[in-house]
Amino acid sequence: MSKLKNESDKVAGKTKEGLGEATGNDKMALKGKLQNATGKAKEKLEEAKDKVAEKTNDFINKHEKKDDDEK
């Protein structure tokens, strides 16, 4: 997922939620809350994925350097 799509989901969700609450449309408000929560969850997943990739790269680089030093 792209960060832009996640942010778009959060903004659209907040907009729908506010519009739903303002017009008394509970279904729209709920859909907005869900869309906002989906955007936030995807964002957290993306952050976790990035951290795992970073740690994996650090580990690989450390061991490649160690192997090079032993040669």
Side-chain angles (χ1 to χ4, degrees), residues 8-18 31-33 35-36:
S8 173
D9 279 341
K10 289 179 2 184
V11 170
K14 276 295 198 185
T15 302
K16 286 179 187 176
E17 182 181 352
K31 282 184 178 183
K33 283 183 182 183
Q35 188 172 7
N36 184 27

Side-chain angles (χ1 to χ4, degrees):
M1 286 290 131
S2 73
K3 292 180 182 187
L4 183 60
K5 172 70 173 133
N6 298 340
E7 195 62 35
S8 173
D9 279 341
K10 289 179 2 184
V11 170
K14 276 295 198 185
T15 302
K16 286 179 187 176
E17 182 181 352
L19 188 59
E21 288 173 357
T23 60
N25 186 334
D26 293 338
K27 188 174 180 179
M28 182 184 286
L30 180 59
K31 282 184 178 183
K33 283 183 182 183
L34 291 173
Q35 188 172 7
N36 184 27
T38 299
K40 286 181 180 180
K42 288 178 182 178
E43 183 177 63
K44 292 294 182 188
L45 184 61
E46 195 75 29
E47 289 172 5
K49 185 179 87 170
D50 289 346
K51 280 191 176 196
V52 168
E54 181 182 335
K55 294 293 183 184
T56 301
N57 287 333
D58 289 348
F59 179 82
I60 290 169
N61 290 338
K62 179 180 175 184
H63 288 291
E64 283 178 347
K65 184 177 183 328
K66 185 178 177 182
D67 289 344
D68 289 344
D69 290 344
E70 291 176 359
K71 290 183 181 179

